[in-house]
Amino acid sequence: MQLDVLGTRRRTHRSGELRKAHVGEKVFLAGWVDRRRDLGNLIFIDLRDHTGVTQVVCNRESSPEAHQKADAVRPEFVVGVEGDVVERSPETVNRQIPTGEIEVRARTLLLLNEAKTPPFAVSDDKTAEETRLRYRYLDLRRPGMQERLRLRHRAALAVREHMNEHGFVEVETPFMTRSTPEGARDFLVPSRIHHGKFYALPQSPQLFKQLLMIGGMDRYFQIVRCFRDEDFRADRQAEFTQVDIEMAFPEREALFEIIERLMEKLFALVGARVTRPFPHLTYDQALERYGSDKPHLGFGLEWSRVALPPAVREKLHVDGPVKAMRVPKMSEISRSQLDRLQDFARSTPADWFSYFKMGGGGVQSTVQKVVGAEAVNSLAASVGAQAGDLVLLLGIKNLAAESDRRAGASAEARLREASGQLRMEAARRFELIPPDGWHFAWIVDFPMFEYDEKEKRFNAMHHPFTSPREEDLEKLESDPAAVKARAYDLVLNGSEIGGGSIRIHRQDIQRRVFKALGMTDEQARARFGFFLDALEYGTPPHGGIALGFDRIVALMAGESNIREVIAFPKTASAVDLMCESPAEVDPRQLDELGVKIK
RNA sequence: GGGGACGUAGCUCAGUUUGGUUAGAGCGCAUGCCUGUCACGCAUGAGGUCGCGGGUUCGAGCCCCGUCGUCCCCGCCA
């Protein structure tokens, strides 16, 4: 096929921007053939670029050369069009596209490149994700991907602008760094110069940002890639992007305000209004009321604890903790709906489920016959149930039983998890989750440590550089489980979109925390020696946060999967279907690195 | 590591319930016709390793076992 050259021609406009006001102008457009409609002596080409689509008309009579070329054109060919913007006659206006009032009458058509028949139509939208990822470069041409990546770009700009306004400086930190055995698995990079030694890709720039504070940078941020060699999820990739933030002499509420105002700006990009300040919820409150440390606060359902009289407990055979949740105005729900909810409740780690309805004629309950009306009425009163309400009950039946479905999980932990699951399931089934609205919350006062049943020791819940609350310092040695950290998460509509803490800036406290984690001075020194040294040279109080940029952009775009806002993501099995990575390498490369495959 | 769903034409899917003739549809693709289409239309045609391997059976897209891939979830993710 005879192709044309672009030569010195420049685009005068983009495809999506021509309007009635341009009528009469001579323009040059270039882009891809979205669709071609061949009527014989008249050929229509929908010319697409990142801004949209314009209809190009090639008429055999008035421009035979252009028409002849249009005859050969196929979807995804790259073409340039020189022609006149003309107004469409009223009956040929296309109201479905912004450029529908005009069309470009081709004088010259340039065939800049041909294209194989694509595996899927770019102009269509239904394609399995696997195929989309294999041919990502074609998928990227689709308006949806274009919009999402451009939204991501604008979000990144807004972050940089906002952080700059508040005196934060973007500093790059190394990608080739040192493995730290805490936390997630590291991706390792073998050293050619030092056989047997490895760099690690950072799980986050945590230590570097603290070192920048020690280095007097005062306020730092970075939009930065992080790497964690763990299994993928809809909201997790092995490499992902954080907005990493740290400030010296921090005051928690001041930091929160900076972040809240950032969220305000980001969500304004999608026309959303954010209500500030965000509510604070302690970790304990969140778990008690919502059964989750990242509760969706877009609907009301809350659990409350119920105290059952011993006699009632005995009749119901429930000896563990019990919680109740009032579902307002749902007493009309059908029996089969409730049966399905009960089936779901049985699949959770809780082992007792019941419910009652506040009907017109009083309480309707399946357990009423067993425990008597009085007991049910007092239960209803204790959760503030009103006429028309449905009340769900969840509990642990056999405290003493060996049949714990999850070995080691305490009754409280099981009830917590079950209550969180059931709350979300009920909200979904009863369609209580609002389709729009942005419900932010700060979750604060996380526990400092988490007990690892397998390893029989404490782990840092956030990370080992998180400061304990001052009032809990003396419990570091005596009662580590009771120590609360100065750590916080930012939660949006049930997703964790950020987390951070006020850090330890004193070497003595850092040493005590390592000790509580079961690390000897020698072990701590071997792992973080350089950092412990640095702490001794005048470390200012500091703290910060890291925001999950992919998750935030996905939420802004109304997507539940972060792959939709990443140009070249990997599949759930950590594979890039397009470039087929990971891949084997030449044995000589391995030899050079001193690496042998087992 | 575990659980669930899916895998049939280039794409999106039906067919699997209850095994039985030559495996279908829409879109796309090719060729021809068509001067106002915009999901153009009309006509004709090509296109299949039913993911892969094994088994049961006279006979497997369909049943069984294994395996691979994609998605979702649990574990994991300081």
Side-chain angles (χ1 to χ4, degrees), chain A residues 182 449 464-465 504 509-521 524-525 528 531-532 535:
Chain A
E182 294 283 316
F449 305 106
F465 315 105
I504 299 168
I509 296 174
Q510 185 67 71
R511 188 174 294 151
R512 285 168 67 191
V513 168
F514 280 145
K515 204 165 182 187
L517 289 168
M519 242 186 273
T520 63
D521 279 355
R525 187 134 284 285
F528 309 111
F531 181 70
L532 296 178
L535 272 183

Side-chain angles (χ1 to χ4, degrees), chain A residues 69-126:
Chain A
K69 283 181 181 169
D71 208 42
V73 142
R74 292 292 178 273
E76 303 315 314
F77 275 34
V78 184
V79 296
V81 181
E82 193 171 61
D84 306 297
V85 182
V86 299
E87 185 172 356
R88 296 202 200 180
S89 62
E91 70 275 12
T92 61
V93 164
N94 184 351
R95 306 226 169 270
Q96 278 150 15
I97 54 171
T99 58
E101 283 189 301
I102 57 91
E103 62 194 7
V104 172
R105 212 161 270 174
R107 292 194 196 189
T108 315
L109 190 66
L110 296 182
L111 270 180
L112 296 172
N113 214 342
E114 52 193 328
K116 283 170 60 171
T117 301
F120 52 82
V122 171
S123 56
D124 194 20
D125 231 9
K126 287 175 297 185

Side-chain angles (χ1 to χ4, degrees), chain A residues 13 15 83 115 143 161 169 171 185 193 222 274 294 301 312 328-329 349 364 379 406 417 475 568 586:
Chain A
H13 298 82
S15 250
E161 206 174 84
V169 176
V171 180
R185 270 184 289 268
I193 296 169
Q222 187 181 189
V274 162
K294 45 180 189 217
L301 310 185
V312 173
K329 300 191 181 71
Q364 302 161 11
L379 186 58
R406 307 172 68 230
E417 183 165 341
K475 287 185 266 185
F568 301 104
D586 192 298

Side-chain angles (χ1 to χ4, degrees), chain A residues 320-352:
Chain A
V322 175
K323 281 183 179 181
M325 183 170 72
R326 194 167 75 85
V327 190
K329 300 191 181 71
M330 278 290 159
S331 67
E332 299 300 314
I333 205 77
S334 72
R335 177 64 192 261
S336 65
Q337 276 260 48
L338 283 163
D339 285 346
R340 282 200 292 275
L341 197 63
Q342 172 153 332
D343 287 342
F344 179 85
R346 291 210 173 110
S347 73
T348 69
D351 49 14
W352 183 77

Side-chain angles (χ1 to χ4, degrees), chain A residues 308-319 322 351-352 354 365-372 375-376 379 393 396-397:
Chain A
L308 296 176
V312 173
R313 283 189 172 277
E314 202 157 312
K315 284 180 190 149
L316 293 173
H317 308 287
V318 176
D319 63 356
V322 175
D351 49 14
W352 183 77
S354 187
S365 166
T366 50
V367 293
Q368 195 158 346
K369 281 190 210 111
V370 186
V371 299
V376 178
L379 186 58
L393 297 162
I396 298 298
K397 206 172 177 177

